Amino acid sequence: MTTSLSETARPSRFGILRHSVVLAQRSLAKTSRNPGPIMNGIITPALFMVLFLYLFGRPVAGTTAEYLQYLFPGILVMGAGLAGMISTGSAINLDLKNGVTDRFRSLPISRTAPLLGSVLADILRYLIAVAVLFGIGALLGFRVQGSAPAALGAAGLAIMFGFCLSWLTVFIGVLVKSADAVLSFSFIAFLPLQLGSSLAAPIDTLPGWLHAWASVNPVTHVMNACRALLNGTPDDGSIGLTLLWSAILFVVFCPLAVRAYGRQE
C-alpha cells in the first residue's frame, strides 16, 4: 500500500523553501539549454520599444527623446511580465504531461514546491530582462529622472507584479491539456493586459471603450507607478494600487494553482 505525502510528515516551511530553490535551479538549468522563451521575453519588448518610439514618438510627444521617457517604463513592465509569464505555465504543463510530476509526488516534498520553484526561477529571468531593457533604453537615450532608489523601486515593482501575474499562467498551465493551449491562453491574456493600458499613450487620449478598460487594468497602474518613479513625477496613488493588485493576483491564483495541481492525480 502506498502512502501519500499528506499521510506522512509534512515538510517544514524551511523545507518547502529549500525544495523550491532546488527545483528553481532545475528550471534554470532547463532554460540554459533552451533559452528561447527568455530571449523572446527580452526581444519582444525591445522590438515594441523601437517600433513605438519611431512610429509614434513625434506624433504623440513631438520628439522621440520626450516620448522615450514616457514609453520606457511601460516597456519595462512588459519585459518583466513577459520574460517568465508564458514559459512558466508551459513548463509546468510539460512536466505534468511527461510524467515528471508523478516523480515529484513520490518524493517527500510539498506539492507547492514544484510550482514555487518554477516561479522563483522566473525572478532571475525578470532580473535579466529588466537589466537588458535598461541597457537598450540607455542606448536609445532614456535617462532616469528620479533618484537611484526610486529607479530600483520601479524595477522592483515591475518584477513583483510579474511574479504575482505568473501565478495566473501557472494556474492555466495546470488546467489545460497541452503546452500549446497554455501559449494560446497566455497570449490572449497578454494582448488586452499589456496593450490595453497606458503603454503607448496616456489613457485620456484613448477612445471611450478602451479608456474604460485601461483605467481599471492593473497593468496601467504598474506602468504609471514605474513612470512616476523613473521620471520623478507624482504617482497619484498608482504605487498603492500596484501593491494592491499584486496582492490580489497572488492571493487568488496561488492557492487556486496549488489546489488544481494537487488534484492532478
Side-chain angles (χ1 to χ4, degrees):
M1 179 182 296
T2 59
T3 303
S4 67
L5 178 62
S6 61
E7 295 170 341
T8 60
R10 294 180 180 274
S12 66
R13 291 181 181 179
F14 291 107
I16 293 173
L17 181 59
R18 185 175 68 253
H19 300 154
S20 299
V21 170
V22 171
L23 292 171
Q25 293 172 343
R26 168 185 176 268
S27 179
L28 292 173
K30 290 170 60 180
T31 298
S32 67
R33 293 191 294 271
N34 179 27
I38 189 172
M39 293 301 297
N40 180 60
I42 295 172
I43 292 173
T44 301
L47 286 175
F48 270 105
M49 179 163 57
V50 173
L51 289 174
F52 282 8
L53 179 63
Y54 292 107
L55 284 175
F56 305 131
R58 292 185 183 278
V60 173
T63 65
T64 55
E66 185 177 348
Y67 186 59
L68 182 60
Q69 293 297 130
Y70 177 88
L71 176 66
F72 178 78
I75 295 295
L76 186 69
V77 175
M78 177 188 286
L82 188 62
M85 175 180 166
I86 297 176
S87 63
T88 298
S90 299
I92 290 172
N93 184 272
L94 287 173
D95 282 346
L96 285 165
K97 184 177 179 180
N98 296 334
V100 177
T101 300
D102 294 331
R103 296 186 179 183
F104 290 155
R105 291 198 179 100
S106 68
L107 301 173
I109 62 174
S110 167
R111 290 185 177 179
T112 306
L115 303 184
L116 182 58
S118 184
V119 177
L120 286 177
D122 281 342
I123 294 179
L124 181 59
R125 299 184 183 107
Y126 299 147
L127 288 170
I128 294 172
V130 165
V132 172
L133 287 174
F134 263 110
I136 296 174
L139 290 175
L140 291 174
F142 176 78
R143 297 295 180 264
V144 175
Q145 304 297 324
S147 63
L152 291 175
L157 278 179
I159 291 171
M160 179 192 66
F161 184 77
F163 170 83
C164 295
L165 183 63
S166 66
W167 285 100
L168 170 60
T169 55
V170 170
F171 181 53
I172 294 172
V174 173
L175 290 182
V176 302
K177 300 299 183 182
S178 69
D180 290 338
V182 178
L183 292 175
S184 298
F185 277 111
S186 299
F187 188 72
I188 291 171
F190 167 81
L191 287 177
L193 280 174
Q194 299 285 353
L195 300 183
S197 65
S198 62
L199 171 65
I203 63 173
D204 291 339
T205 65
L206 302 178
W209 62 272
L210 187 55
H211 176 275
W213 162 246
S215 62
V216 298
N217 184 353
V219 176
T220 294
H221 303 309
V222 189
M223 290 179 176
N224 289 344
C226 291
R227 195 169 286 123
L229 290 169
L230 290 171
N231 291 329
T233 56
D235 69 278
D236 296 326
S238 57
I239 294 177
L241 288 171
T242 297
L243 296 174
L244 176 62
W245 271 110
S246 297
I248 290 173
L249 288 169
F250 181 78
V251 169
V252 171
F253 289 106
C254 178
L256 286 175
V258 172
R259 188 175 298 113
Y261 186 77
R263 291 176 179 172
Q264 298 290 327
E265 300 293 348

